[in-house]
Amino acid sequence: MTQTSDASTGKKRLFLRSWGCQMNVYDSHRMADVLAPLGYAPVDAPEGADMVILNTCHIREKATEKLFSELGRLRVMKEARRAEGQEMLLAVAGCVAQAEGAEITARAPYVDLVLGPQSYHKLPELVARVSRAGGHVIETEFPTEDKFDHLPEASAPQGVTAFLSIQEGCDKFCAFCVVPYTRGAEYSRPAASVIAEARRLVGQGAREITLLGQNVNAYHGEGPDGREWSLARLLAALAGIEGLERLRYTTSHPREMGDDLVAAHRDIPALMPFLHLPVQSGSDRVLAAMNRGHRAEDYLRIVDALRAARPDMALSTDIIAGHPGETEADHEATLRLIERVGFAQAFSFKYSPRPGTPAAGAPGHVDEATKDRRLAEVQALLRAQQAAFNASKAGQAVDVLFTGPGRHPGQLSGRTPWLQPVHAEAPAAMIGRLIPLRILAGHPNSLSGELLHPPNPEQHAA
Ligand code: SAH
Ligand code: SF4
Ligand code: F3S
């Protein structure tokens, strides 16, 4: 069967693939929402799709190469479809699209549409232009209007845990990073539209919402009262939504970790005791070279304040190994900072020069072998800390939000307040509910548990 559309429903098939951060995942959902009124329905594989969108990431190297090899595979499918008299519209979205624009259609002329992250609300118009024009269309302007105002309100349910973008772009210009160039200037959505979207998500079954932004704690949206609202203020308002059990936000910058936000972790029970707070390096020299705008001791002070506000607070971070100018002593300082904080989870990367960023042209690039070794040392320490954190939960009673079926029949999987994946035997009716478990064991990447109050088998039979 190589039908253009599902004859029984009249639907066109849309295949979306996302790389990169959670904002890209959110954007992919929204692109599907924008295209739904045009008759596009998501499918799981590119074979036989009427439209394929690759939502790309430019943060580290090989992104562009990965994209072109994926495009090469899709070209074969597109040509096979054309031979059968069918079309496959091929679109490249996201941060590589924004950064490379014309380079993509020059190297892969069979790509129909290239669109940057600020243009997703224009998809219907762009798709129409592609169909009319027959050539390719490139849309990588940073438009003056707010894409969120133009995205449809109706959206496909995301499930028990949902993402909600509240802030986009970045004005921080860390020396190593492409995001300010691919996502543009910082922008915060008005609080009222965030609250309305959160209510809709909860109405569709979401019990946990993660607020997203490249610099989410720099949020300063217009409040319904006409004043500027901080993230802390917004969190307090969202916590009042009936049925919303858990709130998170990511990713934060240490410089924007204000006292009111620290206090929110003490005052808002729904705000989970887990924070992803990238530090990048433990050396003040490197932090300055990175243009991070804070010192190691500032970071440690924030961590202490968070733990004072909420004693069960766990932290996650990002580390870059081998930034230009990083010496052995700087690397040691990073290891010491990691030891001092004790992270529950972390992401660590080898420094990757990004074209056009200040660090790429800076002196003192570290050789690959040294970067590899430093990264391995950082990761060994972080892995041990994560394993220790997971093991520390064994024997404890922990509230788990069940999100879906587990790996084995009769099992469900869920998340602890600290975002650890958990598996336990539990009835499917518990999906979407916050259930107390006893943690049986902490493994390196997950936990196993059992119901603290197993359901009464007789009630169950009734
Ligand atoms: N806005 C967030 C993170 C954005 S990118 C913040 O401010 O922290 C996610 C992570 O990718 C960064 O925290 C950083 O650790 C890593 N990263 C970004 N650019 C990189 C580069 N050129 N090389 C290696 N890692 C990089
Ligand atoms: Fe990139 Fe720095 Fe902005 Fe984060 S704060 S997105 S690392 S420039
Ligand atoms: Fe990647 Fe763009 Fe996100 S570069 S990390 S997809 S903001």
Side-chain angles (χ1 to χ4, degrees):
M1 287 278 287
T2 50
Q3 288 274 303
T4 298
S5 51
D6 189 330
S8 57
T9 59
K11 291 282 187 205
K12 290 181 271 192
R13 296 160 202 245
L14 168 66
F15 177 69
L16 257 158
R17 176 149 187 220
S18 258
W19 289 271
C21 59
Q22 285 155 326
M23 301 207 64
N24 260 11
V25 177
Y26 176 86
D27 283 346
S28 290
H29 283 296
R30 300 318 309 264
M31 283 193 264
D33 295 337
V34 180
L35 290 169
L38 273 65
Y40 286 96
V43 292
D44 296 335
E47 287 81 10
D50 299 282
M51 180 166 179
V52 172
I53 303 179
L54 303 179
N55 195 5
T56 58
C57 171
H58 203 40
I59 201 80
R60 281 170 295 272
E61 68 198 321
K62 305 218 178 81
T64 316
E65 290 322 303
K66 256 189 281 177
L67 169 66
F68 282 111
S69 71
E70 181 83 12
L71 284 173
R73 275 193 295 278
L74 289 166
R75 174 192 200 164
V76 177
M77 282 182 214
K78 186 179 166 91
E79 282 168 359
R81 257 178 97 66
R82 185 160 288 171
E84 291 166 354
Q86 315 276 11
E87 285 301 322
M88 176 194 270
L89 203 149
L90 195 47
V92 179
C95 291
V96 179
Q98 186 66 44
E100 307 281 337
E103 162 84 13
I104 295 173
T105 49
R107 266 181 74 178
Y110 48 90
V111 168
D112 301 292
L113 175 59
V114 174
L115 73 165
Q118 305 309 324
S119 309
Y120 299 153
H121 57 294
K122 294 193 203 153
L123 257 172
E125 174 202 326
L126 295 171
V127 168
R129 258 165 65 194
V130 168
S131 317
R132 275 200 310 272
H136 36 246
V137 171
I138 302 178
E139 181 73 38
T140 51
E141 294 301 306
F142 287 120
T144 43
E145 82 258 30
D146 164 19
K147 76 170 172 188
F148 295 110
D149 284 345
H150 297 267
L151 286 167
E153 284 207 346
S155 58
Q158 290 190 46
V160 175
T161 55
F163 293 127
L164 201 177
S165 278
I166 65 165
Q167 180 275 339
E168 265 217 288
C170 181
D171 299 336
K172 299 279 190 295
F173 291 92
C174 299
F176 51 81
C177 183
V178 288
V179 171
Y181 311 98
T182 62
R183 295 273 170 167
E186 254 176 43
Y187 168 81
S188 297
R189 291 175 69 181
S193 90
V194 171
I195 294 167
E197 187 170 332
R199 285 191 196 285
R200 276 198 300 278
L201 290 169
V202 173
Q204 291 172 338
R207 294 292 164 263
E208 171 177 308
I209 292 181
T210 302
L211 305 179
L212 298 180
Q214 267 91 21
N215 266 285
V216 73
N217 58 345
Y219 178 86
H220 56 277
E222 187 194 339
D225 51 9
R227 303 220 184 125
E228 194 172 279
W229 277 24
S230 66
L231 180 60
R233 181 76 189 79
L234 179 66
L235 286 165
L238 292 170
I241 296 177
E242 180 101 26
L244 182 56
E245 311 267 11
R246 289 179 165 185
L247 276 168
R248 305 178 187 277
Y249 58 92
T250 200
T251 294
S252 296
H253 194 292
R255 240 157 77 194
E256 305 283 354
M257 214 59 223
D259 293 343
D260 63 338
L261 190 51
V262 172
H265 282 275
R266 179 194 63 213
D267 299 334
I268 303 177
L271 189 53
M272 290 294 98
F274 178 84
L275 183 66
H276 181 61
L277 192 62
V279 68
Q280 316 296 1
S281 170
S283 151
D284 289 344
R285 278 188 61 248
V286 175
L287 287 169
M290 288 175 163
N291 190 32
R292 290 289 287 179
H294 66 84
R295 295 159 302 170
E297 68 181 74
D298 300 317
Y299 186 88
L300 295 173
R301 201 166 346 98
I302 295 164
V303 169
D304 291 343
L306 283 163
R307 285 178 168 156
R310 179 113 196 209
D312 61 347
M313 193 78 191
L315 284 128
S316 155
T317 202
D318 290 344
I319 301 282
I320 295 180
H323 189 270
E326 186 188 78
T327 63
E328 211 50 36
D330 296 322
H331 168 61
E332 293 290 331
T334 299
L335 294 174
R336 279 199 304 276
L337 178 135
I338 296 171
E339 274 162 6
R340 160 78 158 76
V341 175
F343 290 101
Q345 200 211 303
F347 302 95
S348 45
F349 315 99
K350 193 157 77 156
Y351 169 72
S352 159
R354 309 314 295 135
T357 57
H365 277 263
V366 178
D367 66 83
E368 284 305 304
T370 305
K371 282 200 262 188
D372 285 332
R373 196 237 325 136
R374 289 182 189 164
L375 180 65
E377 287 174 14
V378 163
Q379 290 188 333
L381 181 53
L382 289 169
R383 249 196 323 272
Q385 290 189 338
Q386 178 173 327
F389 180 71
N390 286 351
S392 76
K393 299 295 171 198
Q396 290 187 13
V398 170
D399 282 344
V400 167
L401 180 62
F402 281 126
T403 51
R407 226 169 297 152
H408 306 294
Q411 263 193 354
L412 296 184
S413 69
R415 295 278 179 165
T416 68
W418 308 280
L419 216 52
Q420 297 147 296
V422 197
H423 302 278
E425 304 260 325
M430 287 185 177
I431 293 174
R433 288 170 55 196
L434 211 51
I435 304 286
L437 298 194
R438 184 186 319 285
I439 302 304
L440 297 172
H443 314 290
N445 298 308
S446 67
L447 307 178
S448 52
E450 64 180 10
L451 297 178
L452 208 53
H453 313 292
N456 181 333
E458 278 167 36
Q459 265 176 7
H460 215 58

